Amino acid sequence: MGRLVILGGGESGIGTALLGKEKGYDVFVSDKGAIKEKYKQVLIHNEIEWEDEKHSEEKILNADIVMKSPGIPDKVPLVKQIRDKDILIISEIEFASMFTQATIVGITGSNGKTTTASLTHHILKQELNVGLAGNIGDSFAKQVLEEGFENYVLEISSFQLDDIASFKPHIAVITNITPDHLDRYNYQFEKYIASKFRIALNQTKEDYLIYDADDEVIVNHLKNNPVQSTLLPFSLTKRIEKGAYLDDNNIIITINNNQIIMPTTNLTLEGKHNIKNAMAASTVSHLLKIRKQTIRESLENFQGVEHRLEHVLKINKVQYINDSKATNVNATYYALESLDTPTVWIVGGEDKGNNYEELFSFVNEKVKAIICLGVDNEKLMKTFSGMVDIIVETQFMSEAVKIAYKITEAGDSVLLSPACASFDLFENYEDRGRQFKNAVRNL
């Protein structure tokens, strides 16, 4: 089969290594950082050659195919060297899809993709044999190797889509597109948009693209760059002939003249954006012939995603909410939009070129105090200091939560919704969210 070199020994790297070995490749895993002990043990146990804390060029540049972790940017010199030698670089999503005949639902977008993917999987698993993978849970490659599901729901990032060649989901979903990760796209929004649309790159008219028709970025891009797919838009404001729309608290979905009506009154997820996530998930489920009753019940008992508007505790009539997964401004917009109480907002981290303007009206209306939690809080202090009475900065989660506790009154909320990446002070957004929850429980 040839030599498969894997750059990055994380979840997707290890899954690809196992699948590659099973399919007869000569596999080598190389990680510039340290590989986690649990992953090292898997490699040793399966007799797969690996190295960490370095990249040995002579062992990499003789590859027939390279699977690159989505976290490694294209501008890294080693990646350029690999491309200069015309060695094919692919993502784990591309590699794993070569070895399965399953029906694939691919979900991308700047926000809402984890919730939409989890919700879609929650509905489908009631009636189908289905796996959940991609940016979430066990790697797709590992599941193809060990589980062999007949269907997969994949949460897919733009970085994973950058390195696909023939990958084609039967059903693709684009939840929305707002500026994010622009540091990886030379600060050109157009490049990031094009990257998201690669999810429909190989689709034909037999395949479906479900998207938010209220999102001007998506609609304009489709106008100028038509796709082959059958389009199924969803909207909160317009009547949609083919797709989904909201009519007086009911989601109306029409596909091939077959209409279903889903009430939204008992949705467990709050906020307008979650009605959109429910529309996308229901449209997928309807396409895959899930019964109406099952879709309705699943929407009503879905528990949501950890670190996404997660209600942690109520202390002295103050609600503490963990939205650590809000790593960009638009995600924080949804969080602030969904609250209707005076709010102490904990924000900050590694800024990806954020423009906070779209938050101003919410901050003026709902936010009573801001706690900046980052290594460098200068931009936040400058942007918001005139808008709220109290703005403080700290570099410790425990301190941030204690300050919030002191300045809240009954009926307030404390919202951790950072609008930034977490890597300046935390291992990842999960670590940040767990530290918040622990600090709240220790009050």
Side-chain angles (χ1 to χ4, degrees), residues 28-94:
F28 177 59
V29 178
S30 175
D31 197 315
K32 203 174 176 183
I35 296 178
K36 282 186 180 161
E37 193 53 42
K38 67 170 181 178
Y39 291 141
K40 271 187 196 169
Q41 291 309 321
V42 172
L43 292 169
I44 293 164
H45 178 72
N46 287 279
E47 297 177 352
I48 293 169
E49 197 190 343
W50 59 276
E51 65 177 5
D52 65 352
E53 311 210 17
K54 64 175 181 296
H55 285 316
S56 309
E57 285 176 21
E58 71 282 359
K59 290 186 171 182
I60 292 169
L61 296 175
N62 62 356
D64 295 300
I65 185 167
V66 170
M67 196 295 287
K68 174 173 82 66
S69 153
I72 302 170
D74 268 345
K75 52 181 182 267
V76 171
L78 178 65
V79 175
K80 286 190 172 137
Q81 281 174 278
I82 296 168
R83 291 206 195 278
D84 288 344
K85 290 186 80 102
D86 282 335
I87 299 167
L88 179 66
I89 297 181
I90 58 172
S91 62
E92 176 227 356
I93 298 293
E94 172 73 31

Side-chain angles (χ1 to χ4, degrees), residues 11 14 26 33 45 55 93 137 142 200 218 235 347 353 362 385 404 414:
E11 180 63 38
I14 302 307
D26 165 28
H45 178 72
H55 285 316
I93 298 293
K142 187 176 172 208
I218 296 179
S235 169
V347 57
F362 290 144
S385 57
V414 175

